[in-house]
Structures are given as C-alpha cells and as structure tokens.
Amino acid sequence: MTAIAVLGNGRVGGSLATALTQAGHEVTVADRAPESAADAARTARIVINATPGVGSLERLVALREELRGKILVDVSNATLDGPDGLPADLIYPGYSLAEQLQEALPETRVVKTLNTMLFPVMTAPTALTQAPDAFLSGEDPQAKQTVRELLADLGWRKEWITDLGGIRTARATEAAILFVPHVIRSSGFTPFAISIAR
C-alpha cells in the first residue's frame, strides 16, 4: 500500500483515484484549492498531477515544499483549447510541461506517463481491442520503476510500458495530444490510445 495524492477531482483524477484505491492504495483526492492540494501532497509518497495542464506549473510550484523528495506523476497535457473545447495547440511548443515541472522542482522526481490516451484507457487498458502503450519519461530510474508498478496495478502489462528515457522525451508524448481532437472528430469519444505497432 502506498500513500498517493491525486491533484484534480475531474474525470481523470476521479477515475485514477478510484482504480488505485481498488488496488489497495491509500488515496487522497484534492481539488484545485491550494490548501486542499497542500494537505494531500504533504502526507503522500506519490503525487499525481491530474489538473488541467494550462495551470499546472503555477499550481505545483506553489507546492514546492510539500513535493520535496516525492515522486510527481504528471498525466496532464498543457494545451490551448479551440472553440469546440478540444485541444488546438500546445502551450509549450518545442518544450513540455514535464520539463518545466522538473526544472522548477529540482528536488522532486517527475515522471510523465498516461498522457497519450483518452482517460478511460488509463485505468482499463485491456478494454481496447489492440494493445495500447504507456510511455515513461523521467530522469530517475527508481521513480520510473515505482510508476511501472503503479501502472501494473491499473492493469498495464509489462510489455505495454515503454521507457522513452529522460524528461526531455516528454516533448514527444505531449505533442501527441494534437492527434486527439482529429481522432475524436472522426470517430467520437470512443476510448483509444496511441500505440507502437511491433
């Protein structure tokens, strides 16, 4: 059992919190209020950022002390939405939110994952007809191993998890969000994930 704080109580945060609780972890969910987030992060070993990417950097930098020495799992995508509410552009083109977080929080171990799929797939990868991929980006091998174990608790098989390397590789997975609005407009909100055919 691991103490986990999920920051964000929307569809993404709520589904992750439910699944991780069912897997036996001690999960606290915090809304966007600074006091709620600080209280949750303070007592957790792992903090999951499931807040909207547009405000994540400012929100998490304010928790610098609470996040010191913790693993920060970032599942957000920092995008500007178009008129239909779907992602239209990246806030950090040529860069990534995960890199910004790691630079701003050097004593926190940031791992980027689960940001290349619709949220239902995060907690039910076996529901797809083809094997999905979950990608890991981060500087700390032990932190990434811990996140691998969390993903296994969510139903991700070992062979579906690909370690891309350092935090800079999050530029690629965050840019993949630009596929999402086009796929949704073409096929609707049917769960899908980006995967590598092998």
Side-chain angles (χ1 to χ4, degrees), residues 18 22-23 27 29 32 35 45 48 56 64 85 123 127 131 138 147 150-151 161 163 170 175 197:
T18 298
Q22 290 171 347
V27 181
V29 181
R32 298 187 205 179
E35 312 80 36
R45 177 180 172 227
I48 298 176
S56 287
R64 181 180 281 106
T123 57
V147 174
L150 275 190
L151 292 178
I161 303 170
D163 186 344

Side-chain angles (χ1 to χ4, degrees), residues 172-195:
T173 60
E174 290 191 24
I177 190 65
L178 298 180
F179 274 103
V180 170
H182 307 299
V183 174
I184 289 173
R185 292 185 191 109
S186 173
S187 307
F189 278 91
T190 304
F192 71 88
I194 292 173
S195 63

Side-chain angles (χ1 to χ4, degrees), residues 102-115:
Q102 188 61 85
E103 288 178 13
L105 302 165
E107 295 181 80
T108 301
R109 295 172 291 166
V110 179
V111 179
K112 189 83 182 191
T113 193
L114 296 180
N115 62 309

Side-chain angles (χ1 to χ4, degrees), residues 52 75 80 83 102 105 127 141 156 169-170:
V75 303
L80 298 170
Q102 188 61 85
L105 302 165
W156 288 87
T169 63

Side-chain angles (χ1 to χ4, degrees), residues 65-77:
E65 291 305 314
E66 290 83 1
L67 292 172
R68 189 186 303 275
K70 309 287 176 73
I71 296 172
L72 175 61
V73 182
D74 180 33
V75 303
S76 293
N77 285 302

